[in-house]
């Protein structure tokens, strides 16, 4: 018989994976892995500012992640600094700023290990309601912008010419990314969120024939990784968040051997 806290952890891991999988497909298609890392690293700055201003932590993470995404979009358009350099600057500077601010707040007790690598075993019923309620909203919004976002991934100019408003879809996608990062932070931690977004989606490419099927398979593989990682963590007494990522890596490595299921690239890679 499983304990209540472990059942909550299982539900939380599966819930986050189901949300992250479809979003991760666009990260893979658009080659935005480092962009996702930058938004995730900014979460620590959001936590620090939320604690300093006495705000809700999830709200603080969401606001800062959105701010970083918008700043990156504006700065990349100016072409003052190459985009990859901007990503590196924002990624590491926001993480460092968050750590420094937390160090200055001597009255604040923060479990940095839990923030960086997750504390899924401490998930509460309220957290579960937030994960599944917010997850439904994120998936509904993603379905609503799926066509313009996919078209913009294939050809931005053509999508704009067809009146699909791909830039607006991209902005909404950034907001969804920020929401998922804020929600998933407690499950796998700031440093591992991007892995849960990318690895299941990368593995799903081997098995999917269409972009839509890839999104569904990525969600399923992410949920499988969450289950395997948590039971592995229970069995071998290893950290839960990293164990989920290791399980996702195992799923990805298995997908590399599944050559008979391989599809042609255009079917699952709109970009």
């Amino acid at each position: 018989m499983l304990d209540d806290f472990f059942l909550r952890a299982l539900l939380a891991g599966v819930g986050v994976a189901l949300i992250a999988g479809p979003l991760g497909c666009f990260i893979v298609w658009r080659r935005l892995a480092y962009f996702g890392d930058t938004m995730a690293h900014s979460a620590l700055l959001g936590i620090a500012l939320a604690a300093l201003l006495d705000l809700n932590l999830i709200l603080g993470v969401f606001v800062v992640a959105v701010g970083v995404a918008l700043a990156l979009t504006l700065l990349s358009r100016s072409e003052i600094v190459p985009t990859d350099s901007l990503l590196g600057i924002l990624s590491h500077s926001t993480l460092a700023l968050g750590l420094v601010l937390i160090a200055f707040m001597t009255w604040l007790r923060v479990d940095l290990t839990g923030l960086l690598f997750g504390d899924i075993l401490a998930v509460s019923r309220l957290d579960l309601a937030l994960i599944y309620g917010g997850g439904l909203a994120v998936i509904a919004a993603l379905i609503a912008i799926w066509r313009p976002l996919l078209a913009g991934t294939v050809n931005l100019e053509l999508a704009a010419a067809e009146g699909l408003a791909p830039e607006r879809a991209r902005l909404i996608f950034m907001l969804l990314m920020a929401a998922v990062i804020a929600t998933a932070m407690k499950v796998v931690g700031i440093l591992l969120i991007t892995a849960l977004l990318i690895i299941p989606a990368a593995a799903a490419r081997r098995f999917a024939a269409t972009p839509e099927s890839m999104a569904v398979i990525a969600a399923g593989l992410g949920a499988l990784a969450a289950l395997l990682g948590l039971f592995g963590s229970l069995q071998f007494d290893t950290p839960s968040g990293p164990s989920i990522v290791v399980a996702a890596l195992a799923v990805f490595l298995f997908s590399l051997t599944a050559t008979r299921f391989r599809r042609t690239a255009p079917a699952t890679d709109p970009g």
Side-chain angles (χ1 to χ4, degrees):
M1 188 71 179
L2 297 176
D3 293 324
D4 285 346
F5 76 90
F6 192 74
L7 286 173
R8 289 196 297 271
L10 289 173
L11 288 172
V14 169
V16 169
L18 292 176
I19 305 164
L23 287 173
C25 292
F26 283 99
I27 294 177
V28 170
W29 291 332
R30 288 174 171 248
R31 296 169 176 83
L32 292 175
Y34 206 9
F35 174 76
D37 251 348
T38 301
M39 289 186 69
H41 287 180
S42 71
L44 192 61
L45 179 58
I47 291 169
L49 291 175
L52 184 64
L53 301 173
D54 196 24
L55 300 174
N56 180 273
L57 289 183
I58 291 179
L59 177 62
V61 171
F62 176 79
V63 170
V64 171
V66 171
V68 167
L70 293 175
L72 177 63
T73 301
L74 293 174
L75 289 172
S76 61
R77 286 177 179 173
S78 68
E79 298 182 353
I80 297 173
V81 180
T83 301
D84 58 339
S85 298
L86 279 173
L87 285 168
I89 292 168
L90 288 173
S91 175
H92 301 298
S93 60
T94 52
L95 182 63
L97 277 171
L99 288 169
V100 170
L101 277 177
I102 288 173
F104 272 117
M105 291 184 284
T106 54
W107 67 90
L108 184 66
R109 290 186 177 181
V110 175
D111 178 14
L112 280 178
T113 302
L115 290 175
L116 295 176
F117 300 105
D119 191 12
I120 191 172
L121 297 179
V123 167
S124 65
R125 286 189 174 89
L126 180 61
D127 293 325
L128 284 178
L130 179 64
I131 288 170
Y132 280 90
L136 286 174
V138 168
I139 293 300
L142 184 61
I143 291 172
I145 65 168
W146 181 271
R147 185 165 175 259
L149 191 61
L150 189 63
T153 301
V154 176
N155 190 308
L156 186 63
E157 291 77 13
L158 184 59
E162 292 180 357
L164 294 175
E167 287 294 341
R168 182 178 62 187
R170 183 186 176 190
L171 176 60
I172 295 173
F173 177 74
M174 289 180 182
L175 296 177
L176 298 181
M177 278 277 294
V180 169
I181 288 169
T183 304
M185 181 178 59
K186 194 167 186 177
V187 176
V188 290
I190 292 166
L191 297 182
L192 303 178
I193 290 172
T194 317
L196 198 58
L197 285 162
I198 296 170
I199 297 176
R205 295 177 74 172
R206 296 280 176 172
F207 305 101
T210 65
E212 291 76 14
S213 65
M214 180 172 161
V216 173
I217 293 171
L221 292 180
L224 176 63
L227 293 174
L228 292 175
L230 282 169
F231 279 108
S233 173
L234 181 66
Q235 179 69 29
F236 301 108
D237 193 25
T238 53
S240 300
S243 296
I244 291 173
V245 178
V246 170
L249 174 62
V251 170
F252 173 73
L253 293 176
F254 171 76
S255 75
L256 294 180
T257 67
T259 53
R260 64 194 181 96
F261 295 108
R262 188 178 299 172
R263 307 294 182 182
T264 57
T268 55
D269 191 355

